[in-house]
Amino acid sequence: MTIRIVLNKNVSLDDCTFISGFHGIGLTGFIAVKHMVKQLNAEKIGFIETKLLPPFISMDGDEIVTPFEFFKYSNFVFLVVEAPPHTREQYLFSLALADWLVNNNFSKAILIGGLDKRFKRSEDVLYKFAMTRAFKRRFSSESLPPLDKGLHAFGLLALLLARLEIRDFPALAVLPYADASRPDPFAAAMAIKFVNKLCNLDVDVSKLIEEAEHIESEIQKLIQQWAERAKIDQKKTLYM
């Protein structure tokens, strides 16, 4: 056994939409998917087991949280990745997951990531997108601005999207602009708003926006403190 998908519920996956996100820029995908699962009160239906499983667990109430878990709400299946798979297993991880989506007749996959906001060219553009040919054939994509030429997606999101392109499976990567230097709950909220619209969901993002505002407030306080300290140090230098 290298990668094994274990479902503990007898559920139908036919025509379901798969949603996941990973630990990319701003932790955008991870924060967004974790928030959606919590807000929707999605039911845990299974796990991914790997030979090099990350060696940690946590607790959610009285339940053990393992590194890779599946949740289901209506016809949506979420994969929450608490920690990135071991680098030696990422290729097999994406391969097993792509095969599982195709073999179980999922309708489409939505992958959430982030783009470094330093590459943002217009304040009016909140997202960029990358999609497979199969997605473009089956769904309207004219209003979705593609990832700029010369920019790249990396990591597990890129691997999984490549696997699904090869399999001619409908998949869309939602890439809001995010702060690369810290977790960015605002970018996660923007991604969820898009998924809400695309999938006719109603996931509340007010808590994420509150977190973003709190983080921004704390950063501004730190910047002000650093500026004041710099002024004091400059005055000391002048009198030395």
Side-chain angles (χ1 to χ4, degrees), residues 71-91:
F71 295 81
K72 191 170 190 287
Y73 169 81
S74 184
N75 65 328
F76 299 93
V77 173
F78 301 87
L79 171 61
V80 177
V81 177
E82 295 285 344
H86 195 285
T87 52
R88 285 164 55 190
E89 287 191 323
Q90 286 192 10
Y91 295 96

Side-chain angles (χ1 to χ4, degrees), residues 10-230:
N10 185 20
V11 295
S12 173
L13 303 175
D14 192 59
D15 205 38
C16 282
T17 295
F18 174 78
I19 300 176
S20 192
F22 310 109
H23 292 71
I25 291 173
L27 297 180
T28 306
F30 169 71
I31 294 171
V33 175
K34 188 89 170 175
H35 183 79
M36 294 180 78
V37 165
K38 183 176 181 180
Q39 290 295 308
L40 293 169
N41 195 27
E43 179 186 17
K44 187 186 295 185
I45 61 168
F47 313 85
I48 297 180
E49 186 178 6
T50 75
K51 184 178 181 180
L52 299 176
L53 196 69
F56 79 90
I57 59 98
S58 60
M59 298 296 293
D60 183 7
D62 59 353
E63 288 195 8
I64 289 176
V65 176
T66 63
F68 317 123
E69 296 188 334
F70 290 105
F71 295 81
K72 191 170 190 287
Y73 169 81
S74 184
N75 65 328
F76 299 93
V77 173
F78 301 87
L79 171 61
V80 177
V81 177
E82 295 285 344
H86 195 285
T87 52
R88 285 164 55 190
E89 287 191 323
Q90 286 192 10
Y91 295 96
L92 289 175
F93 191 98
S94 66
L95 182 66
L97 194 51
D99 286 343
W100 184 70
L101 294 176
V102 173
N103 294 338
N104 284 279
N105 298 314
F106 278 77
S107 67
K108 62 182 175 296
I110 299 172
L111 308 176
I112 301 173
L115 276 180
D116 192 331
K117 67 180 184 181
R118 289 176 297 179
F119 294 105
K120 192 173 184 180
R121 298 176 180 176
S122 170
E123 290 302 316
D124 296 330
V125 179
L126 299 176
Y127 320 85
K128 291 289 183 174
F129 298 88
M131 65 201 79
T132 62
R133 292 169 298 161
F135 186 91
K136 286 188 279 189
R137 285 199 309 268
R138 289 187 53 185
F139 303 99
S140 175
S141 61
E142 290 82 5
S143 63
L144 307 180
L147 184 65
D148 296 329
K149 186 176 181 179
L151 295 182
H152 297 83
F154 293 94
L156 194 52
L157 181 146
L159 271 174
L160 185 53
L161 199 62
R163 302 283 192 195
L164 296 174
E165 170 71 1
I166 292 167
R167 284 160 179 73
D168 201 32
F169 182 88
L172 173 71
V174 184
L175 305 167
Y177 287 99
D179 193 318
S181 65
R182 58 176 172 81
D184 194 334
F186 183 78
M190 294 301 100
I192 293 172
K193 283 186 175 183
F194 174 83
V195 175
N196 277 344
K197 184 177 179 181
L198 181 69
C199 298
N200 197 27
L201 287 168
D202 187 24
V203 178
D204 181 58
V205 297
S206 58
K207 289 185 178 179
L208 287 179
I209 292 174
E210 287 175 11
E211 288 178 23
E213 290 173 347
H214 175 71
I215 290 172
E216 191 61 35
S217 174
E218 291 301 309
I219 289 172
Q220 291 304 318
K221 287 179 184 177
L222 286 173
I223 291 173
Q224 186 175 358
Q225 289 171 5
W226 291 335
E228 290 173 356
R229 181 57 187 265

